Amino acid sequence: MVPQKEKKAFKLIKGMKDIMPSDQKYWEYLRKILNRLSFDYNYDRIDTPMAEFTNLFKRSVGDHTDIVEKEMYSFEDKGGEKITLRPEMTAGTVRAYIEHGLVNKPQPVKLFYMGPCFRYDKPQAGRQRQFWQMGFEAIGDEAPIIDAQVINMGYKLLSKLHLPSVVQINSLGCNECRPNYHEVLLDFVKAKKKQLCEDCKRRVNKNPLRVLDCKEESCQEIIADAPQQVDYLCDDCRTHFVSVLEYLDELEIVYNLNSKIVRGLDYYTRTCFEYTLQDAGESRQGVLGGGGRYDGLVEELGGRPTPAVGVAMGAERIVKELKRLDIKVPELKQYDIFVAQLGKEARKKCISLYEELLADDLKVVENFSKDGIKGQLEQANKLGVVYALIIGQKEMVDNTVLIRDMENGIQETVDFAKVVSAVKKRLKAKEIETV
Ligand code: AMP
């Protein structure tokens, strides 16, 4: 006989992660808070496809950004179309806004989402190749109060999770005033070009703004003295920015004016911001989220000129912080009753008793394939149930059930026919909701 070759077990694609059952409570909690915030601020859910035409991202995120230059998951489909797995969610949302004529609805149109994004980045702490973003977009209004409210929503999402943050905020100006600043900045970085890292040397001419958010320490030292965009804002942009800050003051949001916040995507104008932890401690996750205004994007993607502002948060980074800081989140499952059995006949009886309990909407759990009452009761204890219902040989003969109070170990025998009402009565006496 030819020996069978041992089959190699498959592994995850580098930079991608499974979200295992033990982590799901964090994700569920995030979804819950996201949903609640969307209700509180009247945002509607939108789900766009994970894949879009490559040009959508080239036009929105920008040709000379790291995302488009290095990080996109792009392929040609069988029809020869150039397709990209979305690296972020705003471009698809804006495409949908234009395509579905949402411009004809009362403005601003307020949308929220949560879904996976893909960036072929070097995997490292806090950086994955598939990661989830959740965010809010308000499309169709330029009022600074909307910027402040969107900033507040990301801020509240974190504070509700017991992750107090600081908003790092800047203004990138508009098409009128940005070029002036770019000129001054270009002069500055050109003069320092020799001292910059290789990436920045390339960036100098293509996109000098990106030099400002270079993570290399040597570059950071050089750019510490760079001219600041806020000193070059036109009157309209300055008034808009001051107004955003006044609203943030009104909301008592902790923020820090930070001229190095330029964001890695081309579509941003005016307000842009990121969230860092107030007490970052040992965190090496980087920013938890960010966003800004993108007043030119709708037009760039073929719609009418339409101002807009949005925020996106990174779910994995938030979950990692929750775990690092040991923040308690609600358990996903809480059972009240464990049905335990001993012997073949008892098992038969228990399988229908289980259905009866379920039919009464009781929160019930079992481990029918196991023998041995001790092990089953240990499991019941671990699951934190209030009562165990036990049917062993004696109960089979007497047609009864043992109700064991898991808190104090007290056991009572009741008729099988009355067990459902008996356990409901006891749960009610302990003020445990049974529906
Ligand atoms: P960005 O669109 O780059 O500003 O991303 C918004 C948020 O998504 C960031 O603040 C991160 O929390 C998260 N994020 C971005 N890229 C990644 C990544 N490669 N892996 C995990 N999270 C990411």
Side-chain angles (χ1 to χ4, degrees):
M1 226 171 65
V2 187
Q4 237 194 339
K5 222 170 128 193
E6 207 177 298
K7 296 216 169 66
K8 216 173 141 201
F10 283 103
K11 292 260 187 317
L12 272 168
I13 296 174
K14 199 171 164 193
M16 304 210 173
K17 290 218 169 116
D18 298 311
I19 305 171
M20 296 304 285
S22 55
D23 274 357
Q24 291 291 345
K25 62 179 174 188
Y26 297 103
W27 288 77
E28 193 55 35
Y29 196 47
L30 274 188
R31 280 190 270 268
K32 197 172 154 196
I33 289 178
L34 179 75
N35 285 333
R36 181 64 212 220
L37 281 172
S38 69
F39 174 82
D40 290 347
Y41 294 93
N42 193 15
Y43 279 61
D44 292 316
R45 172 136 194 157
I46 185 164
D47 288 292
T48 58
M50 275 181 243
E52 301 268 1
F53 289 121
T54 300
N55 274 342
L56 174 73
F57 301 112
K58 284 193 165 178
R59 283 257 287 284
S60 52
V61 176
D63 269 332
H64 299 303
T65 57
D66 280 355
I67 292 181
V68 169
E69 274 186 349
K70 303 192 234 165
E71 297 172 5
M72 293 215 294
Y73 271 90
S74 300
F75 58 96
E76 221 174 84
D77 71 7
K78 290 199 169 81
E81 299 283 9
K82 290 195 168 67
I83 306 289
T84 293
L85 298 182
R86 63 181 175 206
E88 55 89 61
M89 309 277 277
T90 304
T93 306
V94 169
R95 193 239 343 111
Y97 170 91
I98 300 167
E99 193 164 350
H100 296 277
L102 299 187
V103 67
N104 300 315
K105 303 253 183 219
Q107 307 290 302
V109 170
K110 295 179 170 179
L111 303 168
F112 82 101
Y113 50 72
M114 177 163 181
C117 297
F118 303 83
R119 291 183 194 174
Y120 195 84
D121 203 351
K122 206 161 59 190
Q124 52 186 277
R127 214 171 273 180
Q128 296 177 200
R129 289 184 174 170
Q130 179 184 316
F131 61 97
W132 286 62
Q133 278 194 351
M134 46 197 181
F136 303 97
E137 312 282 353
I139 309 176
D141 205 314
E142 67 172 351
I145 194 164
I146 304 194
D147 305 42
Q149 213 172 36
V150 161
I151 293 170
N152 188 30
M153 290 168 79
Y155 190 77
K156 271 177 91 166
L157 188 128
L158 293 172
S159 61
K160 276 173 184 271
L161 291 163
H162 307 284
L163 297 174
S165 63
V166 186
V167 179
Q168 308 291 335
I169 190 166
N170 191 17
S171 173
L172 296 172
C174 63
N175 285 342
E176 296 295 310
C177 55
R178 215 200 260 206
N180 299 338
Y181 173 63
H182 276 204
E183 236 169 75
V184 186
L185 181 66
L186 194 59
D187 288 345
F188 176 86
V189 288
K190 267 186 176 162
K192 311 269 177 187
K193 192 170 172 181
K194 278 202 189 118
Q195 295 141 267
L196 296 172
C197 74
E198 289 309 310
D199 267 351
C200 282
K201 280 189 181 124
R202 271 190 315 107
R203 287 175 184 140
V204 166
N205 289 316
K206 284 184 176 171
N207 193 346
L209 261 191
R210 297 302 323 282
V211 176
L212 291 183
D213 70 352
C214 178
K215 303 288 174 282
E216 292 288 328
E217 234 168 76
S218 53
C219 292
Q220 290 204 347
E221 268 172 37
I222 296 163
I223 57 189
D225 304 325
Q228 303 195 359
Q229 171 84 65
V230 284
D231 295 330
Y232 294 84
L233 295 177
C234 60
D235 286 348
D236 282 355
C237 286
R238 188 173 312 110
T239 310
H240 191 277
F241 191 45
V242 168
S243 188
V244 173
L245 299 180
E246 281 170 1
Y247 287 121
L248 296 185
D249 288 333
E250 209 59 46
L251 289 165
E252 296 183 9
I253 287 177
V254 184
Y255 64 80
N256 186 13
L257 294 179
N258 185 338
S259 61
K260 304 293 175 299
I261 302 294
V262 295
R263 315 277 296 134
L265 302 88
D266 272 3
Y267 53 62
Y268 287 113
T269 51
R270 290 194 165 172
T271 318
C272 68
F273 54 92
E274 290 180 351
Y275 301 91
T276 48
L277 281 185
Q278 259 179 35
D279 177 14
E282 286 165 23
S283 171
R284 291 197 300 118
Q285 296 309 306
V287 284
L288 299 178
R293 221 165 230 295
Y294 47 94
D295 290 344
L297 184 59
V298 179
E299 195 180 2
E300 186 61 38
L301 297 181
R304 282 188 229 153
T306 309
V309 59
V311 57
M313 312 297 292
E316 281 82 359
R317 290 189 190 177
I318 294 176
V319 168
K320 214 158 182 187
E321 288 306 321
L322 292 175
K323 288 164 78 174
R324 183 179 71 85
L325 297 168
D326 204 14
I327 290 166
K328 296 279 166 280
V329 302
E331 293 297 328
L332 281 186
K333 291 188 285 190
Q334 180 56 58
Y335 293 107
D336 296 329
I337 304 164
F338 190 99
V339 176
Q341 39 67 41
L342 186 67
K344 196 169 163 207
E345 290 309 313
R347 210 173 277 163
K348 266 192 196 157
K349 213 164 179 182
C350 282
I351 197 169
S352 56
L353 171 60
Y354 195 77
E355 293 304 314
E356 229 179 288
L357 293 160
L358 285 179
D360 262 61
D361 275 335
L362 291 162
K363 293 178 189 134
V364 56
V365 62
E366 48 73 30
N367 194 348
F368 286 156
S369 63
K370 289 283 168 283
D371 283 326
I373 292 289
K374 192 164 166 257
Q376 292 179 63
L377 289 183
E378 273 169 16
Q379 191 180 356
N381 206 22
K382 257 197 206 146
L383 287 166
V385 299
V386 188
Y387 291 108
L389 306 184
I390 306 166
I391 304 185
Q393 275 141 5
K394 183 169 185 313
E395 289 74 29
M396 277 305 294
V397 174
D398 300 346
N399 199 25
T400 56
V401 179
L402 261 185
I403 302 184
R404 180 186 175 93
D405 186 322
M406 295 301 291
E407 207 174 13
N408 53 25
I410 295 173
Q411 304 194 147
E412 285 175 81
T413 303
V414 297
D415 281 347
F416 182 79
K418 292 187 185 145
V419 66
V420 178
S421 58
V423 78
K424 276 173 88 168
K425 207 167 107 192
R426 282 166 177 75
L427 286 170
K428 205 164 174 197
K430 288 197 189 231
E431 294 183 351
I432 291 166
E433 296 256 347
T434 53
V435 178

